Amino acid sequence: MERTLVLLKPGAVQRGYIGEIITRFEKKGLKLVGAKMMNLNDEILNEHYAHLADKAFFNDLKSFMKSNPVIALCWEGLDAVSVVRRICGTTNSRDAELGTIRGDLGMSGSANLVHASDILDNAKVEIKRFFLPEELFSYEMAFCNFLYSTDEISQ
Ligand code: TYD
């Protein structure tokens, strides 16, 4: 099973979509193994968005991410990284497929409601960036035999 990081960005918190977005991941069958509200600062954002440091929108992006608390979530499941990315939709909410979080709930390429790790290696780094080990939980889902096949549970 994989774990992946999701951030509910300031727009999701302000617009009252925390529950709606968490529900979409829960309904899909992902297991919530970590959750917390945080204020982000330059230190964590410079690290998190290092790949965008040379972009013209970098400072605006950081200001936006600092404008309100965010909710950090860690989700677990088979192929969780790619499943979660598909649930979120493509970066620009106006282009994102209907049925995705960004496609259904957003209009912006920057205030796009959610962050989700793009690949497994980055997910591992991002989960460590936002969660201490003791803030992550391991537990059995009682219905997991109805969610996965026996083969899939062991992956
Ligand atoms: P990126 O990592 O390219 O996309 P994603 O979040 O889909 O993995 O970009 C990170 C964030 O930067 C993106 O969610 C919103 C912001 N952003 C802008 O504000 N303007 C832009 O033109 C792009 C590409 C991203």
Side-chain angles (χ1 to χ4, degrees):
M1 294 284 163
E2 293 179 0
R3 286 183 170 187
T4 191
L5 178 86
V6 169
L7 299 177
L8 306 190
K9 294 182 178 183
V13 175
Q14 273 290 327
R15 294 176 62 210
Y17 284 150
I18 297 170
E20 157 91 31
I21 294 172
I22 288 178
T23 297
R24 289 178 179 226
F25 295 123
E26 283 185 314
K27 278 185 174 170
K28 179 67 176 165
L30 290 148
K31 186 202 288 186
L32 187 62
V33 295
K36 64 176 176 178
M37 181 174 263
M38 341 170 35
N39 280 314
L40 303 184
N41 57 28
D42 281 325
E43 191 186 348
I44 199 164
L45 287 168
N46 285 339
E47 236 184 74
H48 189 63
Y49 286 128
H51 62 295
L52 300 172
D54 60 346
K55 301 288 184 199
F57 59 81
F58 184 60
N59 284 330
D60 285 346
L61 173 62
K62 285 203 303 174
S63 298
F64 176 67
M65 293 297 287
K66 288 187 289 186
S67 65
N68 273 283
V70 303
I71 310 277
L73 304 169
C74 184
W75 293 97
E76 185 180 284
L78 190 56
D79 299 327
V81 175
S82 63
V83 169
V84 164
R85 285 282 288 193
R86 278 187 284 125
I87 292 170
C88 291
T90 50
T91 307
N92 187 329
S93 306
R94 292 189 303 283
D95 298 332
E97 307 80 354
L98 296 181
T100 66
I101 291 166
R102 288 165 168 170
D104 287 351
L105 307 177
M107 281 296 286
S108 171
S110 48
N112 57 3
L113 296 149
V114 278
H115 165 82
S117 307
D118 58 350
I119 55 170
L120 184 57
D121 281 352
N122 289 343
K124 289 176 182 168
V125 172
E126 292 180 357
I127 290 165
K128 283 200 183 111
R129 180 175 297 142
F130 285 89
F131 288 97
L132 298 169
E134 60 268 30
E135 293 171 333
L136 295 169
F137 298 84
S138 293
Y139 59 94
E140 293 303 316
M141 274 168 133
F143 59 83
C144 88
N145 287 328
F146 299 94
L147 182 63
Y148 294 113
S149 70
T150 315
D151 275 2
E152 289 168 334
I153 290 171
S154 58
Q155 286 178 47

